[in-house]
Every structure is written in structure tokens, then in C-alpha cells.
Amino acid sequence: MLDQLTLNIALTLVSATLLVLSFFSVYLRDRTRYSTWWIGLLITAAASNAVTVAITDANLDFTVPLSNASGALSAACAWGATRALHNRPTPLWGTTVGPALACAATLVELPSAGYWAGTAPTMVVMSAYFAGAALGLRRLRREHAATGGRYSTSNALTAISVLDVAVAALSGFYALRAVLYVTHGPTSEVFDTFAGVSANALALLVVLVVVTFTMSELSQVERMVELQDRATRDSLTGLYNRREFERRATARLERRRGGATIIVADLDHFKRLNDSHGHAVGDIALTAFADAMRRALGPRDIAGRLGGEEFGIVLGTGDTAAALARVDAVRHACTLHRMPDGGPLPTASYGLAVMTPGEGLDDALLRADAAMYRAKNGGRDRVEVDATATPSTLA
């Protein structure tokens, strides 16, 4: 069996080779955010192993923290890459808090643990990042299925599935390393056999190879997702545009089990706001209202901008009280925003229609829209429930 030093040197060389291949064959051609993140993973993985090779008793104080922080950062890059596939930005704090925690834990443990300082915390951080990456890939697969495969080709779906399995397995492996380190210690035969240097090198090699050979296909997925977002989302608010809202709502209603509620919301006195403060301020109000909806609605609710200052929501419940509670959550979230002059957001009027058996989306939208206009005529800043399905009304 190869010794620890030889394995780390081999892993560093392989990482560097894959980095060069990926950089010239994929990154320079595509320059996508996804490929950028995976290039970052290869760089930080190679750096972590190179620093590990250079560790001696004389330089433990800076090489061990640097090695652990670099390893954690490589896992953070995997998480950032999957967010890129969803066309989502990755917050700076999200990629730095893990490496910072790994480095801090290493510094605390250095006097007593030496070479193994910070091992368990670093493994936990890496496991969490890889788990986040795996969840992101599975979400992408679900979206691929929900859209009838519009996001990618069958080859891309295969690449997503393979990378999902590899990243999930790596998350589990680092969780196992942390558990065995704590329960058995780094010098035990159990740790060395199932989570030692040889096992770690093999796991990383497999994932790095998978990453390299799926990078090109998944870079194209990112481009397709970006194009899909442009075609289906409102450019100002980021919510679904009317066409995509209706398509997704119809698909959801066709396969729903149980009731559903349609809500139409319209900002009050929006024309007056535009005329008196300008369209830029009106855009701020629309964006803030959309953000309030995202904060208040559940992950299975569907929200979209129907046009102008009018918004639509589909809730997966036919319970009027639950739907009204969701509207109240949106109204409360609106109070957390402020306009540029420090004042509150414009209020909104809401129309709510509980769907009846066999009813289509268009009819339910018409009922919710009529209820919304009754709320306008009733004084605005209120919720009106359509009386067709339920007689409830809330001022």
C-alpha cells in the first residue's frame, strides 16, 4: 500500500492535471459560472493537498490551518457550482463561513492535536457543503422532469445524475470520517481502513474525474437554465411571468390532491406613485412586493407577475382560513420593506378564490380578480374572498 506522502503527492498531481485539462478544454471555451466554480474546486483541492505534503513539525502552525481551510473552500466551490446551475448567485458569506470555522477550529486544537488538529470540524463543514451541492443537483433533476425536459438534453440529465451520486457519496464519506475520527481516533485501524488517507484519496480522485468529464455538459445546462429563466421570469421582479405562471399553475392543478386557492393581488394607488415619484420608485415598490411574497409563501406555492402591478398566487390548500393566513404573512412581510423616502410600501388589495371541483385555472383567476376589484371598491388594503365557493370575507 502506498504511504501517506506518496498518496498526497499523487492526488496533487492528478488535481493539477485535471485542472489544466478543464481550464483549456472547457473554461476558456464556455466561461460559465459553473465551470468557474469547478475550476476553483480543482485549484483549492490541489492547494490543500500540496500544503498537506509540505506539513512538517516546524510549520504546523500555518500549514495545517491552511490545508483544512483550503479543503473546506473546495467543498464550498462545489456548492457554489450547483447554485450556478440554478442561475442563483452565491453569497460571499456562504463560501467563507465554512473555511473560517475550519481554520478557527484547527487553531484552537493545534496545541493538543498537532497534525490532526481541526480534522473533525473540517470534515463536518465539507460534508455539509457537499450535501448542499447534492440537494441542488436533485432539485435540478426535479425541475427537469417538471418542465418536460426543457432544461437539458438526456446526456445532461445523465451528467447531473452521475454528479449527484458522486457528490452525495462524498458528503457521506466526510460525515463518516468525522464520526470515526471522534469515536475511534485517527490512529485506529478502523479509521485508517475506512476513512484514512487511502480512502480519502480514492474518493477525491473519483469525484474529481467525474467533475472533469461532466463539466462541459453541465456548463451547457447552465446556459440553458439561464435562457429558460429569461424566457419564463419577469425581468424586474424575478417572479414567473404570466405565461409561465399559468403553465405551472395549470400543471400543478392537474396533479393536485386536495384543494387549491387562487389569489390575485394588486398594489393600491400605483399609478399615483408612478406619476408623483417616477417609474424608478414604482419599480422599487414592485420588486419589494415580489420579495415579500417570496418571504411569506411556501416552497410549493406558485407566484407570478400577471402584468403591471398585478400578481397571482396559487396555494396548495383549499382551506380559506389557511389561505387568509398566508395573505396576512405577505402583508406582514411588506411592512419590513421601506421606500427610498423611508415611508412604507404601497398597500395591496387581494382577491381570493377557493377552487371548486373540476374548475379550470382561467375561471378561478376571473373569480379571484373580481374579488380583488371588490376589495378595491371596498376601500383598498383589504382581502376579499369570492363567495362562489365560500361566503367568508375579511376586511
Side-chain angles (χ1 to χ4, degrees):
M1 182 177 292
L2 295 177
D3 59 76
Q4 179 176 325
L5 177 61
T6 304
L7 282 169
N8 281 321
I9 292 175
L11 189 57
T12 302
L13 292 175
V14 171
S15 299
T17 302
L18 294 176
L19 170 62
V20 172
L21 291 174
S22 300
F23 182 81
F24 287 103
S25 64
V26 179
Y27 176 75
L28 290 181
R29 183 192 65 198
D30 297 331
R31 296 184 186 274
T32 60
R33 285 187 297 151
Y34 174 80
S35 61
T36 301
W37 279 111
W38 281 116
I39 289 292
L41 181 147
L42 292 170
I43 291 174
T44 50
S48 178
N49 283 288
V51 173
T52 301
V53 170
I55 293 176
T56 65
D57 291 339
N59 60 25
L60 280 176
D61 290 346
F62 68 88
T63 52
V64 175
L66 181 59
S67 175
N68 287 344
S70 298
L73 186 57
S74 69
C77 287
W79 175 64
T82 58
R83 290 183 65 86
L85 288 177
H86 291 281
N87 201 26
R88 291 184 175 182
T90 300
L92 179 62
W93 67 265
T95 55
T96 55
V97 65
L101 287 173
C103 185
T106 304
L107 291 172
V108 170
E109 295 181 8
L110 260 176
S112 58
Y115 175 86
W116 294 101
T119 296
T122 301
M123 296 303 103
V124 170
V125 167
M126 294 180 71
S127 177
Y129 276 131
F130 284 124
L135 290 174
L137 289 166
R138 290 180 187 180
R139 178 170 172 265
L140 191 66
R141 289 171 58 190
R142 289 196 300 269
E143 290 181 357
H144 176 93
T147 56
R150 294 189 300 162
Y151 279 173
S152 57
T153 65
S154 58
N155 288 339
L157 183 59
T158 300
I160 293 170
S161 301
V162 171
L163 187 59
D164 176 22
V165 171
V167 172
L170 198 59
S171 173
F173 172 72
Y174 280 117
L176 176 65
R177 287 197 84 193
V179 170
L180 293 181
Y181 178 87
V182 172
T183 57
H184 290 79
T187 59
S188 69
E189 183 178 352
V190 173
F191 180 86
D192 186 60
T193 301
F194 296 103
V197 175
S198 299
N200 181 57
L202 179 61
L204 281 176
L205 280 173
V206 170
V207 172
L208 291 178
V209 171
V210 169
V211 165
T212 301
F213 287 98
T214 59
M215 187 181 297
S216 179
E217 195 70 49
L218 294 182
S219 290
Q220 297 307 311
V221 170
E222 181 189 345
R223 290 185 183 278
M224 297 176 76
V225 170
E226 184 178 356
L227 291 173
Q228 184 72 17
D229 274 355
R230 290 180 182 179
T232 60
R233 292 191 180 273
D234 174 59
S235 59
L236 176 64
T237 64
L239 298 176
Y240 294 123
N241 57 30
R242 185 178 190 118
R243 180 180 179 182
E244 184 66 9
F245 169 78
E246 292 180 346
R247 190 195 70 77
R248 285 180 176 258
T250 300
R252 176 70 58 81
L253 295 174
E254 287 176 350
R255 62 176 186 270
R256 78 180 187 272
R257 297 177 180 176
T261 301
I262 307 298
I263 300 171
V264 172
D266 192 277
L267 297 188
D268 296 326
H269 302 297
F270 186 73
K271 185 178 184 302
R272 182 191 304 173
L273 177 69
N274 270 343
D275 292 343
S276 59
H277 294 86
H279 289 282
V281 174
D283 288 348
I284 291 174
L286 292 170
T287 303
F289 185 75
D291 182 67
M293 292 173 67
R294 276 189 289 266
R295 289 172 179 266
L297 298 178
R300 296 191 177 278
D301 299 330
I302 301 173
R305 185 183 178 191
L306 302 182
E309 66 274 24
E310 190 173 72
F311 298 82
I313 302 170
V314 177
L315 302 180
T317 177
D319 182 73
T320 304
L324 291 172
R326 201 72 58 85
V327 173
D328 282 341
V330 173
R331 299 172 82 180
H332 173 71
C334 287
T335 65
L336 304 178
H337 290 271
R338 284 291 180 268
M339 296 298 288
D341 61 0
L345 286 184
T347 59
S349 299
Y350 301 83
L352 189 153
V354 176
M355 296 195 68
T356 58
E359 184 178 26
L361 176 65
D362 290 343
D363 291 337
L365 275 173
L366 286 175
R367 291 197 294 115
D369 195 58
M372 182 272 293
Y373 276 107
R374 289 197 296 273
K376 293 275 189 187
N377 295 332
R380 294 183 171 84
D381 189 22
R382 56 188 283 126
V383 185
E384 189 80 19
V385 181
D386 177 76
T388 301
T390 173
S392 302
T393 315
L394 180 67

